[in-house]
């Protein structure tokens, strides 16, 4: 049985379709990255899956419970970490954890809270108001609070936005540890390195699921060709290439230029005179996940409209 | 373990709410400060026995009896004769403009009637739009005037000397007249109404605006648990306010209390429950804290106007009385006045209590119906 198994989800706000016929299957123990530009419908999809929004169409099961009729049961076994910190800023760390422990009827409350505080390394700061924590610590507190009741499924909505690299690394180590113990994780993110730490990724744009699969599959399916240009006068070369047929992306990477297109012949034709220049080398390169995403985004300019 | 209700989960919500309440110093100060300030402000502004009220004298005769009565009235401090009117019409105008609160008319045949041994008459007209302000002045008038007249006639105090003075009192603009004791018990209801509804009306909108609602809804708390978790803490706040008002009423305003205290407290409990549920219902309707406060205020004003707090209920037009019936404050005012001042028992106020219980049931049902379990 899949942890998440939803079909044809649709959500409209007014006359705007924000989630458009989204289906998703996530196996138990899997870590799935949920990617897409701002406003593409990630948060809305996640909210539907934990019963916070009613879909206008579609159906499915989360942890085996019917999405439309069993939202109370789903809530009890899902841990949902909201995009914006949504614990009580005027309560201390310990008080927030106690509140959660009591709501989930964890007994004895004091032990659960003490264990969580110890895991977090926050025992000495238990009486600090949650509102005074830095962004990274807030995320850690929120994650700790939503795994306290040992959910079977974690829905994390941009859990590492604005968190420093070390804290992100630790965060992801923790996610993998939890997944090894059988927890299923759906996590939305904008970071490529995080997407690469997922077993599988799903890319959504304008509310539509564009692609899903492992990172290698997604890159291969995109069918992009990448050349790497190096040498003098890269800025001028970039400006010249941008308008040429067959060139879809030109992006500087350090002392090199990544030039991406989807038609090999056209791309090579566009690059031929550049390759002939003195001191300039053009070599085939590997297409990165980021190149693929930029390509997706270019195809769907602005999701906020 | 119950799907829809657990005391454990309710406990979680209650503890959290109390901590937040305690930490929010401004609101906490308001809970104690507002009732006290209102009580003092309203209580003193409306209720003290005001002295030196501006008065006009219409006296065409200039005999020694008239002068004796006027000086006796002046020494009471209740009256301040700023105006000597030439005619009744002029005095009428002064009162209509609000320049005087009283017009004392001593007819021109006053001295002649006293000397002839006939009952003399004086007429006092009081502006009773604020009746509590004038009641003290009016009630002392007849004894003082009579005493002054007797002294002038040379009759010993206490002895029967000649025909009694006939004082005719006209309460202008509001013949019913409310005694000042009516107001302090009424204030209990008004203060509770204002603070309880206002505080609970932002219960949910505050969670929504702070973004904590999403988290709360994602956790397994049922609508009934959330509702009770939100409103019950305010019963305690209401209890504190009730104690403050009742003690102050007794100490500062010496309002008599002839009825049963447990009965009154029971009625207050039901009333406060109705109020917090009304506030909570508002918070399920409003989308922002600002809207919630506006709705609460929108409810507050008519409550003050047509509940019988400001104007005598029986003096209002029929439609206003009908409107008053659907406000909890109207029924509570009847209960609190009947119990405190008339010593009414449960049987006497049964209908009003039933109304209040009806409000509790109605508002909880409405709030649960309106409660949105999702963010849609
Ligand atoms: N409650 C709402 N009412 C109206 N529009 C909404 C609401 N929630 C989200 N939207 C709109 O739906 C779109 C998708 O939003 P969201 O799911 O938050 O995207 P993402 O999480 O991918 O950034 C956005 O354009 C957003 O403005
Ligand atoms: Mg989002």
């Amino acid at each position: 049985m899949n942890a998440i198994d939803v079909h044809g989800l649709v959500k409209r706000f007014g006359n705007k379709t924000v989630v458009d016929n989204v289906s998703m299957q996530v196996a138990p123990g899997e870590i799935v990255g949920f990617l897409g530009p701002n406003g593409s419908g990630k948060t809305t999809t996640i909210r539907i899956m934990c019963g916070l929004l009613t879909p206008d169409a579609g159906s499915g099961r989360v942890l085996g419970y019917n999405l439309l009729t069993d939202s109370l049961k789903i809530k009890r076994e899902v841990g949902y970490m909201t995009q914006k910190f949504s614990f009580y800023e005027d309560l201390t760390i310990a008080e927030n954890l106690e509140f959660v422990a009591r709501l989930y009827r964890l007994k004895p409350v004091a032990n659960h809270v003490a264990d969580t505080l110890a895991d977090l390394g926050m025992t000495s700061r238990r009486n600090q108001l949650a509102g005074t924590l830095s962004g990274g610590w807030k995320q850690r507190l929120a994650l700790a609070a939503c795994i306290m009741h040992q959910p079977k499924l974690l829905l994390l909505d941009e859990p590492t936005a604005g968190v420093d690299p070390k804290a992100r690394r630790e965060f992801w180590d923790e996610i993998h540890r939890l997944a090894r113990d059988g927890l299923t994780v759906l996590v939305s993110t904008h970071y490529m390195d995080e997407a690469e730490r997922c077993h599988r990724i799903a890319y959504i744009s304008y509310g539509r699921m564009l692609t899903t699969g492992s990172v290698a599959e997604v890159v291969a399916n995109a069918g992009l060709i990448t050349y790497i240009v190096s040498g003098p006068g890269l800025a001028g070369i970039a400006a010249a290439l941008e308008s040429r047929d067959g060139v879809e992306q030109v992006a500087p990477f350090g002392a090199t230029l990544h030039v991406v297109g989807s038609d090999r012949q056209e791309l090579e034709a566009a690059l031929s005179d550049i390759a002939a220049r003195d001191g300039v080398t053009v070599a085939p390169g590997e297409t990165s996940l980021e190149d693929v995403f930029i390509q997706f985004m270019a195809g769907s300019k602005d999701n906020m409209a | 373990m119950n799907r829809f209700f657990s005391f454990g989960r309710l406990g979680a919500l209650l503890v959290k709410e109390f901590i937040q309440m305690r930490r929010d110093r401004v609101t906490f100060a308001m809970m104690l400060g507002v009732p006290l300030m209102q009580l003092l402000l309203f209580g003193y502004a409306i209720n003290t026995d005001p002295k030196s009220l501006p008065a006009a004298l219409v006296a065409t005769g200039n005999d020694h009896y008239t002068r004796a009565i006027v000086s006796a009235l002046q020494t009471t401090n209740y009256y301040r004769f700023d105006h000597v009117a030439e005619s009744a019409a002029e005095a009428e105008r002064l009162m209509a403009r609000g320049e005087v609160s009283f017009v004392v008319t001593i007819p021109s045949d006053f001295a002649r009637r006293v000397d002839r041994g006939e009952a003399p008459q004086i007429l006092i007209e009081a502006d009773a739009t604020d009746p509590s302000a004038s009641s003290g002045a009016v009630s002392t008038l007849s004894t003082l005037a009579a005493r002054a007249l007797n002294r002038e006639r040379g009759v010993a105090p206490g002895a029967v000397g000649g025909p009694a003075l006939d004082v005719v009192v006209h309460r202008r603009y509001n013949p019913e007249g409310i005694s000042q004791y009516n107001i302090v018990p009424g204030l209990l209801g008004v203060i509770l109404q204002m603070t309880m509804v206002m505080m609970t009306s932002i219960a949910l909108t505050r969670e929504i605006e702070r973004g904590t609602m999403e988290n709360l809804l994602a956790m397994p708390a049922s609508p009934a648990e959330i509702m009770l978790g939100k409103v019950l803490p305010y019963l305690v706040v209401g209890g504190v306010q009730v104690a403050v008002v009742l003690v102050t009423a007794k100490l500062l305003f010496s309002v008599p209390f002839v009825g049963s205290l447990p009965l009154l407290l029971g009625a207050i409990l039901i009333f406060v429950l109705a109020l917090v549920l009304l506030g909570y219902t508002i918070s399920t309707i409003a989308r922002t804290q600002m809207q919630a406060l506006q709705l609460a205020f929108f409810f507050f004003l008519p409550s003050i106007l047509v509940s019988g707090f400001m104007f005598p209920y029986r003096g209002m037009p029929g439609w206003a009385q009908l409107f008053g019936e659907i406000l909890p404050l109207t029924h509570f005012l009847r209960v609190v006045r009947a119990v405190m001042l008339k010593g009414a028992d449960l049987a006497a106020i049964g209908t009003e209590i039933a109304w209040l219980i009806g409000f509790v049931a109605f508002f909880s049902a409405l709030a649960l119906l309106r409660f949105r379990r999702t963010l849609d």
Side-chain angles (χ1 to χ4, degrees), chain A residues 11 47 51-54 72 75 80 82 84 86-88 90-92 95 99 102-105 129, chain B residues 1 3 6 9 12 15-16 19-20 23 207 210-212 214-220 374-376:
Chain A
K11 183 69 190 176
R47 283 175 175 166
L52 283 179
L53 287 173
T54 321
L72 205 66
K75 283 177 188 177
Y80 170 44
T82 54
K84 184 181 161 293
S86 58
F87 284 89
Y88 297 96
D90 52 348
L91 260 54
T92 65
E95 286 160 355
F99 174 63
R102 288 199 191 97
L103 264 194
Y104 285 100
R105 316 202 65 205
L129 291 182
Chain B
M1 184 164 110
R3 266 188 67 176
S6 104
R9 286 197 299 261
V15 169
K16 168 222 145 213
I19 296 174
Q20 288 187 306
R23 223 150 263 167
E207 297 251 7
R210 290 187 183 175
T212 52
E214 183 174 5
N215 210 352
L216 186 59
L217 287 177
M219 295 194 278
T374 62
L375 298 168
D376 288 276

Side-chain angles (χ1 to χ4, degrees), chain A residues 46-68:
Chain A
I46 292 176
R47 283 175 175 166
I48 293 173
M49 290 197 266
C50 60
L52 283 179
L53 287 173
T54 321
D56 293 310
S59 63
R61 294 190 167 266
V62 172
L63 296 173
Y65 300 118
N66 187 321
L67 190 61
L68 304 176

Side-chain angles (χ1 to χ4, degrees), chain A residues 13-14 16 18-19 36-45 47 53 83 157-158 188 190 204 303-305, chain B residues 375-376:
Chain A
F13 290 118
K16 194 171 145 205
V18 167
V19 172
N38 285 325
S40 56
K42 300 182 296 294
T43 299
T44 307
T45 307
R47 283 175 175 166
L53 287 173
Q83 183 169 352
D157 197 358
E158 297 191 29
S188 77
H190 286 300
I204 187 175
N303 286 182
M304 301 303 282
Chain B
L375 298 168
D376 288 276

